[in-house]
Each structure stands twice: as C-alpha cells, then as structure tokens.
Amino acid sequence: MQNNEKKIIREVQSVVVLLIVMAFVLMGMSIYLFGTTSKFGVISIVALSVYNLIVVLAYMRLRPTLAASLVDYSLEQGKIQKELLRDLAVPYAILDTTGHIMWSNAIFNRTVGVGEKKHIRKAIDTYFPELTLELFRNTDDVSVDIVYDSKNYNVVLRRVDLSNVFLEDSQEHKDDDVVIAMYMFDVTELKRYQRENADQKLYAGLANIDNYDEVMEKLPDVKQSLLMALVDRKINVYLGNLDAIVKRVENDKYFFVFRQKHMKTLRDSNFSLLDEVKSINVGNGISMTLSIGVGTDDAKEGSSFAKAYENARTAIGLALGRGGDQAAVKSGEQVTYYGGKSAGTEKTTRVKARVKAQAFEELLQSKDRVIIMAHQRPDADAFGSAIGIYRLVNTLGKKGHIVLNEVTEAIRPVANSFKALSSYDNVFVNSEQAIRLVGPDTMLVVCDVNRPSITECQELLDLVSTVVVFDHHRQSNEAITKATLAYIEPFASSACEMITEMFQYISARPKLTEQEADAMYAGILVDTDHFLTKTGVRTFEAASYLRKSGADMVRVRKMFRSTMDEMKAQAQGIGNAEVFMDVFAMSYVVADPESKEAPTVAVAKAANKLLDVDHIKASFVVTEAEDGVLYVSARSVGDVNVQLVMERFNGGGHANVAGVQLAGVKKEDFFEQLRNVLAEMSREGQI
C-alpha cells in the first residue's frame, strides 16, 4: 500500500507543478507585452504571484487529506473487486507456483465440496489430479479439459506477476510475486451438444462375401437360395439393430450407412457379424466368410460423406488384401482391424490371375526396361519369383534387371546355379546400379513384399512412375500406394505360385530353363514347408507346371539340405523351448559369433518343428544378430493367427507363417512383451 500512496502523491505533485509552471509562463508573457512599469504589467505580476502562492499553500494543506482519500478509495475498490470475485458465477481460485490454493471464491468451494467461507490450503491436484505440477512450470497460459463430479470443465491457468504491486526486496526469489489465477468454465452442455452433433455423422460401410463362388458351386440350387436368404437375414438384422440402411448391390456385395454413435457397439462386439455369417450351415462344406470395410471422413478436413465412402472402399480393399474374414475401419490415415482369426479359404478360380497377367503384358508393351526387386535379405520365394518375372519380361522382348544386394544363406545354393549361365550376365544389380538404370520408360516390379520400408531399394519407388506389385502376404497399414498394377493374393502359398499361374496366360508362352524352374519350385517348397503349410489345389497345379518345365525335386532338395551347424542350431532351438499357456512354444537360437550371418533359416525350421509337438498351436523362435537386430519366426497350426500377433510388433506375414525384425531389442524383453500380448489377445478372443 505504501507504493500506491507514493504513486498517488507523485501524480498530484506533477499536477501542481504543471499549474505553477503555466502561471510563470503567463507572467513572462505579461511582462513581455506590458513591461514591469505599466499598470497592466504590475497587476498581472501581482495576480499571478498570488495565484502561485495559493496553489502551493493549497497543495501543502490538502496533500495529506488527498492522499488519504485516494488510498481509502483504492481500498474500497479492492474490497468491491474482492466481493465481486467471491460472488463470481465462475469457480475461481488463486494458487501459488507449487499448486497450493491461496484463495478461492464461494462457487469454487461449492464445486469441490467444502464450506463457502472455508479457507482451503490443500494442493489443487488433491481435487483435480489432472492439474499436475508440470502445468504450473509453464510460463504461458494453459487450458486443460477435465471431468469432475460428472461435469466437464475447461480449466484456464494464467500466470499473474504482482511484482509491480509490492515493494521489491532483494531477498525475494523471482517467483515470490507470481501467482496462478485459475478459472473453471462449465462446458458440460457444450460437450453434450458436440457429442450429439458428432453422433449424427454418417459412416459408410461395405461388406463382401469372400468366397461366394467357392461356396455356391458345391451347393444344390435349392440350398443356394436358402443360404443367401439366411446370410441376408443375418446382415440385415445385425445392421438393423444399429439403425443402419442396408442395400444389397450385387450377389456378394452390400452397402450400408449408419450413424457414428453406433460405432462403439460394433467395436465392443468385435464385429460379431463376421462369426455369425461364418456359423451359417445348410450343408455347405465351406464356411461362408465376410469382409467389412467402414470409413469415416477426416475430422481435420471437415465433414464429407464422399470422403467417408472413399475410406470405406480403401478399408474393404485392405480387409480383402489381408485374406478376408475381417473388418477394417479407416478414419483419416488410421486403420483398425477386427477379426481375421482364420487363415482364409483358397480361391479355386483363376480369373484374377488371367486378368492380372493380361494387364501386366499390356503395361509392358510401352516400356523398354524393367527393374525387379523383392524384400531385403531375400528368401527362396523372393528370389524365385524375381527369376520368374525376369523370364516373363525377357520373353516379351524387354530388358530386365534384378536388384540383389545380398546373397543370404537362404538363397545361396539356388543363386549359385545362375552364375554359370551367360544369359544372366549383368542381370543382377545392386541398389546403386539400379538407380542409375532408371529412365522415363522404366517399369519397377516388386515381388514377395508390399511394404516399402523393407524392399531392397525403397528409393526406386519414388524414382519410377510405373510400379507393379505381386505379393502373397497380407497387407498391413504400410503399403505401396502408388502401384499402377497390384496383384496381392493372400490365399496363395507363395509369390512363385502366383507368377507360375501367370505364365499360362502370357501370349508369348514363356519357357523356363531348368535353373529357373528349380528356383521357382524351391520358392514354393520353402514357403509351404515342403507342401505342409498353406497348400491348396492351385499350389500343386503350379508345382506340376514347374515340374513339366524341368524342375527336379531331388536337385532342389539337395540344394536346401542343412549343414551340420544348421542342424545343431535347429536342435538348439528345439532344446531351448518353453511352453506358455499350454499351447504356445517359445525358444531361441544363439548365433555363432564366428559366423557373419544370423541363423535365420535354422530359426524358421525350429519354429516349424515345434509345431509337431502335441497341443502346441503356435511357436515363436528368435535369434540375435551381430548388428543388434532380433529376428523372430512365428509359425502356427490351426486357428491361431500369428500374423495378428506379429503386427503388434510392427511385423506381418500370413495367418500361419509370420515374422518380424526388431532393432535394439533383447530376446528377454521380447519374450516378456510376447507373453503379455498372447495373454491379452487370448483373453479378448483375438487368437
């Protein structure tokens, strides 16, 4: 208050000084105009002198009273403001910089449930845990949304510096005169209106029957109508409970629209419609499966049903690309998957293979050069499918090159068989050479992979305008989006199987050499674990075609026989196995420190062997490489989808064969995370 008094006195003094100065100015003007001897000059000098004397005497006499009056007025104003704050309809409090309440108004006390006149001395986080000490360390104003006593509040915290109000003290810290003004605005009604508005937003949905043709061709006409009537009823009843509008647009396709408020019901039920449709049985030997794609617009871009429908189309494509029997929900760039526990049903029709083969041939006509690449650290299927594509390209009279940066132990036996072939001179190139080969008429073909980050040379995807993808892995959120032509068939056993089928629909009828047939046969053999995993009718047909083209089973078997060290590593993987939850086997293989390569082949074989143990449904075997990368091989038999498990670690693959590479992760930490994931997914019924 002493500061305020001095300030008021200084202001009054400045007014008095101004009046005296103006009097002297007038006196000077009078002397200049009338002189000091004239009658008017003398009168003005006397009058102004008396005026100055009166002003000074009045100031000296009124100074104490004036200062006191002004201070009293200031105090009264302070009291009025305090009362206004106390009766303010908005909860208001003053906090110190440690978050303790220094003062609060009546409605704040009522809000936190204490007496209106009680002085609260507790820390603010006692009542509102969201208001942590970290918020008070911020030098800027902070706005936080909280929920308290079933109401929504927007809390504003504002730093107020009072250093100009009080006398400065050299012993004080810089924050001694800083307080936090806290306002609580009740936004419960606003939030309710916002939710109601958001709940009215429309979601677009698409549903496809995955295996319509395969199921119908084995049913009598009478049962076909009955089956579809039951499927229609299931879909209409399920979606009708969501107040959705459903329209069947084709024999195996549905379109539906529903409001956002029902999305939670779908999520909570994990899209139980998938299982309901699969449970329908009217004598059909194959269960009918459904894929669902749901899309919503991006909130950042504004409400647009056209965008929601576009996202639904993308979502259904992702669901089908992952093998079907699942739902995909796309909101903006985020995609969430539900279901997908089954391995899917093999498609017996080859229409898709024929259409893709013809489209590939048409694309190739306008190109002069083709660069082919697979994934990093290629396996037999990646190498074999690249060889098959090269033969297609070469047969159609185009130059082809295969990007191969590393010949791993997994492909060394089959790769060595191409060294003596003069026709393969300058065919294999590394990433740097491939980049230099890119021109305006270059096509890029990616095989056995659809994730850009693990391709042999990701830069090529940006350099080449025409990109073609051939893959048999289920799609993840990361995918090659700019492909001109994409043939992704999750039902296929291998990429080599897909390329072999395409051979039969190319107009020039490619002819394979023995080495090429061996390489492609090896790709099928390894990916199916010698025709034991993910093998269908089309797999054997492809193998038969390769056998007719010169593939020798004995020769291929000799190529992939294990070395003694590999057999020991495989045995180590089996010997180190532990069983979790009675059905999951976990093990590891210690890499040979003298070897330059991680024993990934032995790890994969050990994972396969562990499936031969009674009651084991899935196996996970790992090894740590010198570069700190943890290689994980996951295998399953039955209903366990190891792809869903590996996706939790940003990996992928198939329902029965999957894996992931983790940099800087120790096997102990991985197994701990894996146990938690398996327990959680089993509890939620996801595997």
Side-chain angles (χ1 to χ4, degrees):
M1 191 57 64
Q2 188 177 359
N3 265 0
N4 286 338
E5 185 177 348
K6 288 183 177 180
K7 184 178 179 182
I8 294 169
I9 291 173
R10 283 197 300 268
E11 290 178 355
V12 173
Q13 283 176 341
S14 63
V15 173
V16 172
V17 169
L18 179 62
L19 292 173
I20 293 172
V21 169
M22 290 301 298
F24 278 110
V25 170
L26 292 172
M27 187 182 296
M29 292 176 63
S30 177
I31 293 171
Y32 176 76
L33 294 172
F34 304 108
T36 57
T37 58
S38 67
K39 180 181 178 181
F40 290 107
V42 173
I43 294 173
S44 61
I45 291 172
V46 172
L48 290 171
S49 298
V50 172
Y51 170 78
N52 283 343
L53 181 62
I54 293 171
V55 169
V56 171
L57 291 174
Y59 169 70
M60 298 299 294
R61 182 178 181 83
L62 297 175
R63 174 183 170 182
T65 306
L66 179 63
S69 299
L70 290 173
V71 170
D72 289 341
Y73 176 76
S74 177
L75 289 172
E76 289 298 325
Q77 288 295 314
K79 290 179 181 179
I80 293 171
Q81 290 175 9
K82 185 176 179 181
E83 289 302 317
L84 288 174
L85 285 175
R86 182 171 294 280
D87 296 332
L88 189 67
V90 175
Y92 176 83
I94 299 176
L95 321 173
D96 62 20
T97 53
T98 63
H100 285 78
I101 301 172
M102 300 169 60
W103 182 89
S104 57
N105 66 357
I107 193 171
F108 182 93
N109 288 13
R110 288 200 302 271
T111 300
V112 298
V114 301
E116 292 185 8
K117 296 184 179 180
K118 185 176 180 181
H119 182 62
I120 305 173
R121 291 182 173 84
K122 295 182 180 180
I124 193 65
D125 58 4
T126 305
Y127 302 103
F128 311 108
E130 300 93 336
L131 304 181
T132 60
L133 190 59
E134 292 296 324
L135 294 173
F136 303 103
R137 291 175 181 166
N138 197 328
T139 57
D140 301 323
D141 294 347
V142 179
S143 177
V144 184
D145 288 326
I146 65 171
V147 177
Y148 183 78
D149 195 22
S150 302
K151 290 186 177 182
N152 297 92
Y153 291 95
N154 176 247
V155 178
V156 177
L157 302 171
R158 181 165 297 162
R159 292 175 70 90
V160 180
D161 189 353
L162 303 177
S163 58
N164 294 326
V165 179
F166 304 106
L167 284 173
E168 294 185 2
D169 188 340
S170 59
Q171 302 298 320
E172 291 182 347
H173 296 286
K174 64 178 183 178
D175 285 340
D176 285 350
D177 293 337
V178 173
V179 296
I180 310 295
M182 173 181 169
Y183 307 85
M184 293 178 62
F185 300 101
D186 189 342
V187 293
T188 306
E189 288 296 307
L190 176 62
K191 292 287 184 182
R192 182 172 67 83
Y193 292 137
Q194 287 176 340
R195 283 194 299 270
E196 289 180 358
N197 182 58
D199 286 344
Q200 301 305 313
K201 189 194 302 186
L202 293 179
Y203 275 24
L206 296 169
N208 287 14
I209 299 174
D210 302 323
N211 51 353
Y212 178 85
D213 293 330
E214 286 73 19
V215 173
M216 290 303 181
E217 69 180 5
K218 296 182 180 180
L219 275 179
D221 293 344
V222 175
K223 289 189 175 182
Q224 288 181 12
S225 301
L226 176 60
L227 177 61
M228 285 312 301
L230 292 174
V231 171
D232 273 344
R233 177 173 173 76
K234 286 282 187 186
I235 292 174
N236 280 282
V237 169
Y238 183 87
L239 295 177
N241 290 332
L242 305 178
D243 195 26
I245 299 173
V246 188
K247 177 68 176 178
R248 183 177 177 182
V249 292
E250 292 183 33
N251 286 338
D252 57 348
K253 293 179 175 61
Y254 296 82
F255 171 73
F256 57 96
V257 179
F258 64 99
R259 287 178 291 181
Q260 177 176 288
K261 67 178 182 179
H262 298 293
M263 190 66 219
K264 187 177 184 301
T265 305
L266 286 172
R267 294 183 191 274
D268 292 344
S269 68
N270 280 322
F271 285 81
S272 58
L273 177 63
L274 300 171
D275 293 327
E276 291 181 19
V277 170
K278 198 158 45 176
S279 66
I280 299 174
N281 191 340
V282 294
N284 45 303
I286 303 173
S287 296
M288 185 168 278
T289 62
L290 196 68
S291 290
I292 299 174
V294 174
T296 178
D297 56 17
D298 191 341
K300 296 179 181 178
E301 298 178 0
S303 181
S304 168
F305 186 71
K307 182 64 177 177
Y309 178 67
E310 182 182 334
N311 283 341
R313 292 184 61 184
T314 304
I316 192 69
L318 290 170
L320 293 170
R322 289 164 56 86
D325 188 26
Q326 58 194 282
V329 179
K330 189 174 189 302
S331 178
E333 296 301 319
Q334 183 182 1
V335 182
T336 310
Y337 299 99
Y338 300 86
K341 294 186 287 185
S342 67
T345 307
E346 180 194 18
K347 301 259 185 200
T348 56
T349 176
R350 292 189 179 185
V351 174
K352 192 174 182 180
R354 174 176 57 80
V355 171
K356 298 296 183 181
Q358 292 173 353
F360 178 65
E361 188 172 356
E362 290 175 7
L363 271 178
L364 201 57
Q365 289 176 1
S366 60
K367 304 299 176 183
D368 293 332
R369 188 188 302 274
V370 178
I371 298 175
I372 307 157
M373 72 171 176
H375 53 77
Q376 299 168 7
R377 297 185 60 82
D379 54 14
D381 188 34
F383 185 82
S385 57
I387 291 293
I389 294 168
Y390 171 77
R391 176 47 53 204
L392 285 176
V393 169
N394 189 260
T395 301
L396 294 170
K398 307 296 180 179
K399 294 179 182 178
H401 300 276
I402 299 173
V403 183
L404 186 64
N405 293 316
E406 179 185 9
V407 178
T408 61
E409 192 65 35
I411 64 170
R412 185 169 289 116
V414 66
N416 287 339
S417 65
F418 287 86
K419 287 183 177 180
L421 297 179
S422 59
S423 58
Y424 274 83
D425 290 343
N426 302 319
V427 170
F428 298 102
V429 296
N430 59 33
S431 294
E432 293 180 0
Q433 293 170 328
I435 290 172
R436 288 197 294 268
L437 291 171
V438 174
D441 294 323
T442 301
M443 176 192 288
L444 175 65
V445 180
V446 181
C447 57
D448 199 39
V449 62
N450 58 57
R451 294 175 59 186
S453 61
I454 59 174
T455 54
E456 281 278 29
C457 182
Q458 188 173 351
E459 291 179 54
L460 289 173
L461 294 169
D462 297 321
L463 294 174
V464 182
S465 58
T466 304
V467 179
V468 177
V469 180
F470 297 121
D471 189 30
H472 69 117
H473 295 99
R474 292 187 172 196
Q475 285 183 289
S476 64
N477 289 349
E478 182 194 5
I480 299 173
T481 56
K482 58 171 290 186
T484 307
L485 174 65
Y487 181 19
I488 299 173
E489 186 60 89
F491 305 103
S493 68
S494 57
C496 285
E497 175 188 318
M498 296 169 58
I499 304 304
T500 302
E501 285 186 343
M502 288 176 58
F503 271 56
Q504 303 167 57
Y505 301 106
I506 297 296
S507 59
R509 296 294 179 184
K511 292 185 180 180
L512 293 165
T513 65
E514 290 183 354
Q515 291 85 352
E516 291 168 342
D518 283 349
M520 297 184 71
Y521 183 83
I524 297 176
L525 194 71
V526 170
D527 263 29
T528 60
D529 188 22
H530 294 79
F531 298 100
L532 295 176
T533 304
K534 203 170 172 57
T535 307
V537 174
R538 291 165 64 175
T539 309
F540 288 105
E541 289 176 350
S544 176
Y545 179 89
L546 294 173
R547 180 71 184 89
K548 292 176 184 177
S549 299
D552 190 305
M553 301 178 191
V554 176
R555 190 165 59 231
V556 172
R557 183 179 178 183
K558 286 180 179 180
M559 286 182 185
F560 289 92
R561 286 187 296 182
S562 301
T563 63
M564 185 56 70
D565 289 339
E566 190 178 290
M567 287 296 292
K568 290 179 180 179
Q570 185 178 335
Q572 182 192 150
I574 298 172
N576 292 334
E578 296 181 2
V579 179
F580 177 66
M581 295 178 65
D582 298 327
V583 293
F584 303 115
M586 301 179 186
S587 187
Y588 62 92
V589 174
V590 179
D592 184 356
E594 298 181 1
S595 176
K596 295 181 180 179
E597 294 186 2
T600 53
V601 175
V603 165
K605 290 182 177 180
N608 286 328
K609 282 293 183 183
L610 286 173
L611 294 179
D612 293 335
V613 179
D614 195 20
H615 302 304
I616 295 299
K617 293 183 178 180
S619 61
F620 305 88
V621 184
V622 306
T623 187
E624 294 181 57
E626 278 187 355
D627 55 3
V629 176
L630 188 74
Y631 292 89
V632 183
S633 284
R635 302 290 185 269
S636 71
V637 61
D639 296 331
V640 176
N641 188 335
V642 289
Q643 181 212 7
L644 298 179
V645 179
M646 289 296 96
E647 281 184 342
R648 293 291 186 96
F649 298 91
N650 202 29
H654 297 290
N656 304 119
V657 180
V660 68
Q661 299 177 15
L662 301 171
V665 179
K666 296 297 182 183
K667 65 178 185 293
E668 294 81 8
D669 297 332
F670 169 74
F671 282 135
E672 182 179 354
Q673 295 177 42
L674 179 62
R675 291 187 185 96
N676 293 334
V677 167
L678 291 173
E680 178 188 343
M681 296 182 74
S682 297
R683 187 167 55 250
E684 295 176 356
Q686 297 183 33
I687 56 174

